[in-house]
Short mmCIF file of all heavy atoms in Angstrom, two decimals:
data_model
loop_
_atom_site.label_atom_id
_atom_site.label_comp_id
_atom_site.label_asym_id
_atom_site.label_seq_id
_atom_site.Cartn_x
_atom_site.Cartn_y
_atom_site.Cartn_z
N GLU A 4 266.72 270.50 44.83
CA GLU A 4 266.76 272.06 44.69
C GLU A 4 266.35 272.70 45.96
O GLU A 4 266.94 273.62 46.41
CB GLU A 4 265.72 272.40 43.65
CG GLU A 4 265.55 273.72 43.25
CD GLU A 4 264.66 274.14 42.12
OE1 GLU A 4 264.53 273.22 41.10
OE2 GLU A 4 263.91 275.10 42.15
N LEU A 5 265.24 272.17 46.51
CA LEU A 5 264.85 272.69 47.97
C LEU A 5 265.86 272.58 48.97
O LEU A 5 266.02 273.55 49.81
CB LEU A 5 263.56 271.98 48.43
CG LEU A 5 262.27 272.51 47.97
CD1 LEU A 5 261.07 271.52 48.41
CD2 LEU A 5 262.03 273.84 48.38
N ALA A 6 266.63 271.47 48.95
CA ALA A 6 267.72 271.30 50.01
C ALA A 6 268.95 272.20 49.74
O ALA A 6 269.60 272.58 50.81
CB ALA A 6 268.16 269.82 49.96
N SER A 7 269.06 272.66 48.61
CA SER A 7 270.36 273.50 48.35
C SER A 7 269.80 274.74 47.47
O SER A 7 270.48 275.24 46.48
CB SER A 7 271.24 272.77 47.53
OG SER A 7 270.74 272.17 46.43
N LEU A 8 268.75 275.45 48.15
CA LEU A 8 268.26 276.70 47.52
C LEU A 8 269.38 277.69 47.11
O LEU A 8 269.33 278.36 46.15
CB LEU A 8 267.25 277.19 48.39
CG LEU A 8 266.23 278.32 47.73
CD1 LEU A 8 265.52 277.74 46.51
CD2 LEU A 8 265.37 278.75 48.84
N ARG A 9 270.32 277.93 48.06
CA ARG A 9 271.34 279.04 47.85
C ARG A 9 272.23 278.58 46.81
O ARG A 9 272.78 279.47 46.23
CB ARG A 9 272.09 279.21 49.18
CG ARG A 9 271.22 279.93 50.24
CD ARG A 9 272.03 280.32 51.51
NE ARG A 9 271.20 280.59 52.60
CZ ARG A 9 271.12 281.82 53.05
NH1 ARG A 9 271.76 282.75 52.51
NH2 ARG A 9 270.45 282.04 54.10
N GLN A 10 272.55 277.38 46.52
CA GLN A 10 273.47 276.96 45.47
C GLN A 10 272.74 277.01 44.12
O GLN A 10 273.44 277.20 43.11
CB GLN A 10 273.93 275.60 45.71
CG GLN A 10 274.98 275.51 46.86
CD GLN A 10 274.27 275.61 48.30
OE1 GLN A 10 273.31 274.94 48.46
NE2 GLN A 10 274.95 276.31 49.16
N PHE A 11 271.46 276.75 44.06
CA PHE A 11 270.60 276.79 42.83
C PHE A 11 270.52 278.14 42.32
O PHE A 11 270.48 278.31 41.07
CB PHE A 11 269.23 276.15 43.09
CG PHE A 11 269.31 274.50 42.60
CD1 PHE A 11 269.91 273.64 43.41
CD2 PHE A 11 268.82 274.31 41.45
CE1 PHE A 11 269.91 272.37 43.01
CE2 PHE A 11 268.69 272.96 41.06
CZ PHE A 11 269.36 271.90 41.84
N TYR A 12 270.19 279.06 43.16
CA TYR A 12 269.85 280.46 42.66
C TYR A 12 270.65 281.53 43.39
O TYR A 12 271.00 281.50 44.53
CB TYR A 12 268.37 280.73 43.01
CG TYR A 12 267.46 279.73 42.52
CD1 TYR A 12 266.88 278.80 43.23
CD2 TYR A 12 267.10 279.74 41.16
CE1 TYR A 12 266.01 277.69 42.66
CE2 TYR A 12 266.23 278.83 40.51
CZ TYR A 12 265.86 277.84 41.28
OH TYR A 12 264.99 276.83 40.78
N SER A 13 270.99 282.49 42.57
CA SER A 13 271.76 283.68 43.11
C SER A 13 271.38 284.88 42.23
O SER A 13 271.79 285.07 41.12
CB SER A 13 273.16 283.46 43.06
OG SER A 13 273.80 284.66 43.59
N PRO A 14 270.47 285.64 42.71
CA PRO A 14 269.79 285.58 43.99
C PRO A 14 268.44 284.91 44.01
O PRO A 14 267.91 284.49 42.80
CB PRO A 14 269.52 287.02 44.38
CG PRO A 14 269.34 287.66 42.98
CD PRO A 14 270.16 286.99 42.04
N PHE A 15 267.81 284.72 45.19
CA PHE A 15 266.40 284.13 45.20
C PHE A 15 265.70 285.30 46.06
O PHE A 15 266.17 285.99 46.96
CB PHE A 15 266.38 282.85 46.02
CG PHE A 15 265.16 282.16 45.82
CD1 PHE A 15 264.93 281.37 44.68
CD2 PHE A 15 263.93 282.26 46.72
CE1 PHE A 15 263.75 280.66 44.45
CE2 PHE A 15 262.84 281.55 46.44
CZ PHE A 15 262.72 280.84 45.32
N PHE A 16 264.39 285.69 45.49
CA PHE A 16 263.65 286.76 45.94
C PHE A 16 262.46 286.26 46.82
O PHE A 16 261.88 285.34 46.36
CB PHE A 16 263.37 287.71 45.02
CG PHE A 16 264.45 288.52 44.35
CD1 PHE A 16 264.94 287.90 43.11
CD2 PHE A 16 264.85 289.59 44.97
CE1 PHE A 16 266.04 288.66 42.53
CE2 PHE A 16 265.99 290.24 44.31
CZ PHE A 16 266.51 289.81 43.10
N LEU A 17 262.08 286.95 47.82
CA LEU A 17 260.83 286.66 48.51
C LEU A 17 259.90 287.82 48.42
O LEU A 17 260.32 288.87 48.60
CB LEU A 17 261.25 286.44 50.04
CG LEU A 17 260.13 286.11 50.96
CD1 LEU A 17 259.45 284.77 50.64
CD2 LEU A 17 260.76 286.06 52.42
N GLY A 18 258.74 287.57 48.11
CA GLY A 18 257.56 288.58 47.97
C GLY A 18 256.93 288.55 49.20
O GLY A 18 256.46 287.62 49.71
N LEU A 19 256.60 289.84 49.69
CA LEU A 19 255.89 289.99 51.00
C LEU A 19 254.55 290.79 50.72
O LEU A 19 254.57 291.80 49.96
CB LEU A 19 256.79 290.59 52.08
CG LEU A 19 257.93 289.98 52.46
CD1 LEU A 19 258.95 290.80 53.20
CD2 LEU A 19 257.78 288.64 53.01
N SER A 20 253.55 290.55 51.40
CA SER A 20 252.26 291.36 51.42
C SER A 20 251.99 291.63 52.83
O SER A 20 251.75 290.76 53.64
CB SER A 20 251.21 290.69 50.66
OG SER A 20 249.98 291.50 50.79
N ASN A 21 252.05 292.94 53.31
CA ASN A 21 251.93 293.34 54.48
C ASN A 21 252.72 292.48 55.58
O ASN A 21 252.27 291.84 56.52
CB ASN A 21 250.42 293.19 55.02
CG ASN A 21 249.60 294.22 54.25
OD1 ASN A 21 250.06 295.27 53.98
ND2 ASN A 21 248.38 293.89 54.10
N ASP A 22 253.98 292.26 55.09
CA ASP A 22 255.07 291.47 55.79
C ASP A 22 254.85 290.02 55.83
O ASP A 22 255.42 289.20 56.69
CB ASP A 22 255.26 292.00 57.23
CG ASP A 22 255.77 293.40 57.08
OD1 ASP A 22 256.63 293.79 56.34
OD2 ASP A 22 255.35 294.24 58.04
N ARG A 23 253.79 289.45 55.15
CA ARG A 23 253.47 288.10 55.07
C ARG A 23 254.02 287.39 53.84
O ARG A 23 253.94 288.01 52.66
CB ARG A 23 252.09 287.74 55.17
CG ARG A 23 251.44 288.21 56.42
CD ARG A 23 249.93 288.09 56.51
NE ARG A 23 249.41 286.72 55.97
CZ ARG A 23 248.29 286.56 55.39
NH1 ARG A 23 247.42 287.46 55.04
NH2 ARG A 23 247.95 285.24 54.86
N PRO A 24 254.79 286.26 53.92
CA PRO A 24 255.30 285.60 52.77
C PRO A 24 254.19 285.44 51.82
O PRO A 24 253.23 284.68 52.09
CB PRO A 24 255.93 284.29 53.29
CG PRO A 24 256.21 284.60 54.71
CD PRO A 24 255.15 285.52 55.09
N ALA A 25 254.34 285.87 50.53
CA ALA A 25 253.40 285.79 49.55
C ALA A 25 253.79 285.18 48.21
O ALA A 25 252.92 284.85 47.55
CB ALA A 25 252.67 287.20 49.28
N GLY A 26 255.06 285.23 47.89
CA GLY A 26 255.62 284.82 46.58
C GLY A 26 257.14 284.80 46.60
O GLY A 26 257.71 285.10 47.44
N CYS A 27 257.57 284.12 45.54
CA CYS A 27 259.09 283.93 45.39
C CYS A 27 259.42 283.94 43.91
O CYS A 27 258.65 283.59 43.01
CB CYS A 27 259.46 282.78 46.12
SG CYS A 27 258.83 281.18 45.59
N VAL A 28 260.63 283.89 43.71
CA VAL A 28 261.26 283.73 42.33
C VAL A 28 262.77 283.75 42.48
O VAL A 28 263.39 284.31 43.47
CB VAL A 28 260.86 284.88 41.33
CG1 VAL A 28 261.44 286.17 41.73
CG2 VAL A 28 261.13 284.49 40.00
N GLY A 29 263.48 282.90 41.53
CA GLY A 29 264.91 282.92 41.51
C GLY A 29 265.54 283.20 40.21
O GLY A 29 264.87 283.13 39.17
N LEU A 30 266.79 283.54 40.30
CA LEU A 30 267.64 283.73 39.18
C LEU A 30 268.75 282.73 39.14
O LEU A 30 269.37 282.55 40.18
CB LEU A 30 268.21 285.09 39.07
CG LEU A 30 269.11 285.37 38.05
CD1 LEU A 30 268.52 285.34 36.61
CD2 LEU A 30 269.88 286.84 38.31
N ARG A 31 268.83 282.01 38.09
CA ARG A 31 269.92 280.90 38.02
C ARG A 31 270.71 281.18 36.80
O ARG A 31 270.31 281.63 35.64
CB ARG A 31 269.07 279.52 37.78
CG ARG A 31 270.06 278.33 37.72
CD ARG A 31 269.27 277.12 37.76
NE ARG A 31 270.14 276.11 37.57
CZ ARG A 31 270.70 275.18 38.44
NH1 ARG A 31 270.31 275.39 39.77
NH2 ARG A 31 271.52 274.23 38.21
N GLN A 32 272.06 280.96 36.98
CA GLN A 32 272.96 281.23 35.95
C GLN A 32 273.00 279.86 35.05
O GLN A 32 273.10 278.87 35.50
CB GLN A 32 274.40 281.38 36.47
CG GLN A 32 275.43 281.57 35.27
CD GLN A 32 276.83 281.99 35.90
OE1 GLN A 32 277.11 281.71 37.13
NE2 GLN A 32 277.68 282.45 35.04
N GLU A 33 272.69 280.02 33.62
CA GLU A 33 272.96 279.07 32.79
C GLU A 33 274.27 279.14 32.11
O GLU A 33 275.09 278.11 31.95
CB GLU A 33 271.85 279.21 31.70
CG GLU A 33 270.41 278.92 32.21
CD GLU A 33 270.32 277.50 32.73
OE1 GLU A 33 270.76 276.59 32.01
OE2 GLU A 33 269.75 277.31 33.78
N THR A 34 274.78 280.21 31.69
CA THR A 34 275.98 280.55 31.10
C THR A 34 276.54 281.95 31.64
O THR A 34 275.69 282.65 32.20
CB THR A 34 276.15 280.44 29.67
OG1 THR A 34 275.45 281.53 29.05
CG2 THR A 34 275.47 279.17 29.07
N LEU A 35 277.72 282.29 31.22
CA LEU A 35 278.12 283.66 31.54
C LEU A 35 277.28 284.73 30.91
O LEU A 35 277.15 285.88 31.45
CB LEU A 35 279.62 283.87 31.19
CG LEU A 35 280.63 283.07 31.95
CD1 LEU A 35 281.94 283.33 31.42
CD2 LEU A 35 280.58 283.42 33.37
N GLU A 36 276.60 284.38 29.92
CA GLU A 36 275.77 285.33 29.09
C GLU A 36 274.22 285.24 29.26
O GLU A 36 273.55 286.04 29.09
CB GLU A 36 275.99 285.23 27.56
CG GLU A 36 277.45 285.56 27.17
CD GLU A 36 278.41 284.28 27.33
OE1 GLU A 36 277.94 283.13 27.34
OE2 GLU A 36 279.60 284.61 27.25
#
């Protein structure tokens, strides 16, 4: 998953606090619905 992050998630979000990386989350398609 780490090696192919862009293929696993669309999109993947980065959370920033005062411009410092602070968190993350992804959306993954399971089915069309």
